[in-house]
Amino acid sequence: MRLPTPADPYPFAGTQLPCLIGGEFIRAAKSFPNTSPVNGAELCAVSEADAALVDRAVQAARTALRGPWGRLSLPERCALLRKVADRIEQRFAQFVSAEIADTGKTLREASSLDIPRGAANFRAYADLALARSSECFEMGTPDGRGALNYSVHKPVGVVAVIAPWNLPFLLLTWKVAPALACGNTVVAKPSEETPSSAALLAEVMQEAGVPPGVFNLVHGFGPGSAGEALVSHPDVNAIAFTGESATGSAIMKSAADSVKALSFELGGKNAALVFADADLEAALAGTMRSVFSNCGQVCLCSERVYVERPIFERFVEALVERARRLKIGGPFEQADMGPLISRAHREKVLSYYRLARAEHGEILCGGGVPSFGDERDRGAFIEPTIVRGLAEDARCVREEIFGPVCHVAPFDSEEQAVHMANDTRYGLAAAIWTSNLQRAHRVARQMETGIAWVNDWFLRDLRTPFGGVKLSGIGREGGAHSLAFFSEPQNICVKL
Ligand code: NDP
């Protein structure tokens, strides 16, 4: 697949991104600017859906449930999803352009992860939905004739999909694909920071022949805007949300009145545990990835790195040395790390850098903003940062920062490492680095997280359960878990 070059224009330059409602592209009366985190330039205007437009989208989705979509067989629905995946791949360069323009992430990340995974999500859920079987139980009855119970999987109805800005296309399609595979209709709202790949997906849905109203897209903000109008709409049956834990809590309140089904993938404050018996090179390379990928803006990133004392100084020195060598730059610059998503988010991350100093942490590298002497100084770039010496109850060790930063601390025993890793209100992921097989299994099980990696990080099989415990989420998505959330099983009992 062709990669975009700097000569490829951003696909929506100079336009106003429309919403897609009932198969019609609609420009809202109000709009807001979409700006580049690389240099602050305005990329395009984005329609801001108000409550009335959100209501139209939900009604269109409701109508489509009763239309041709509702009458399609499962194989026909899955064939349409495969067409969507094909069209994404045909327009691959445009999708990559859109994603790097909105996020500033590196060309390597967008072209090897975000966009390919977006297409893969549609194929994977088409396969999984087709392979799903249903239960059947024979039962006895007093008259001896017996009965047969079987289950059918029905759609839940209209599903609201709310996605964040860090992996915009990957996380949107991660929910849209299984929702559609299960026969639901969708109203999706991407983050206002990253509307472009979702806008391309709306076009692709039309091109692939997905019936009007099956996939609707509304743009806008969260509180008091399109997001809140959508999650509190009485005609929405289920909400699949990825974002911050505090937003999840607000959405739960909005959804309470109409008792909607909820699937939440929320924040994390993930630990990496590096034991002295680990393959050091693998642990170093893996920890670099788990701290600095996507400028630290992955819910799975490690922000707390615990290292067994005998190798602590050596490991930290090597980590700092590598962090200092990371090349920061725009998407086309062969950089290791792009900018944060926005100036506002950079201010939040910088406030934690300042707090780390105030909390008596020692900044081993980074801690500020790089200076380029060109237009990138108007962007949202920030230095990769490693801190040591904070107390375990320091706010920087307890709160999710969501930037390219970690705190390193030594541990003396396996028990202490497990305790420190679990001593958090979050519970999304852990990375364990050891060559001791027994320890690997023992420690992995003790992690109070939805996911524990041993000797790797962010290695994903789409069939596996994905989600978090504690403040990190409710429910699991992935494989059969997504199909279960997006379906209503109905028991049919037939007296024989
Ligand atoms: P936010 O929670 O700020 O926003 C997520 C989405 O929710 C956005 O589309 C936002 O709209 C919308 N939103 C905000 N408030 C409301 C509301 N009251 N009602 C309805 N919708 C609302 O998250 P970020 O975009 O800042 O993403 C970063 C967060 O996502 C981090 O905490 C990260 O850990 C988490 N995350 C979790 C993952 C997981 O799988 N567990 C994966 C990836 C990220 P808008 O932005 O337009 O205001």
Side-chain angles (χ1 to χ4, degrees), residues 4-36:
T5 67
D8 280 292
Y10 162 68
F12 298 111
T15 67
Q16 177 175 328
L17 290 188
C19 298
L20 175 66
I21 297 177
E24 251 184 276
F25 286 105
I26 297 174
R27 279 181 181 74
K30 255 178 96 183
S31 69
F32 58 91
N34 177 21
T35 55
S36 160

Side-chain angles (χ1 to χ4, degrees), residues 451-474:
I451 307 147
W453 278 289
V454 175
N455 295 330
D456 211 323
W457 175 79
F458 207 169
L459 187 61
R460 291 279 300 123
D461 180 325
L462 303 188
R463 296 166 300 180
T464 59
F466 183 89
V469 303
K470 303 186 200 169
L471 272 190
S472 293
I474 299 180

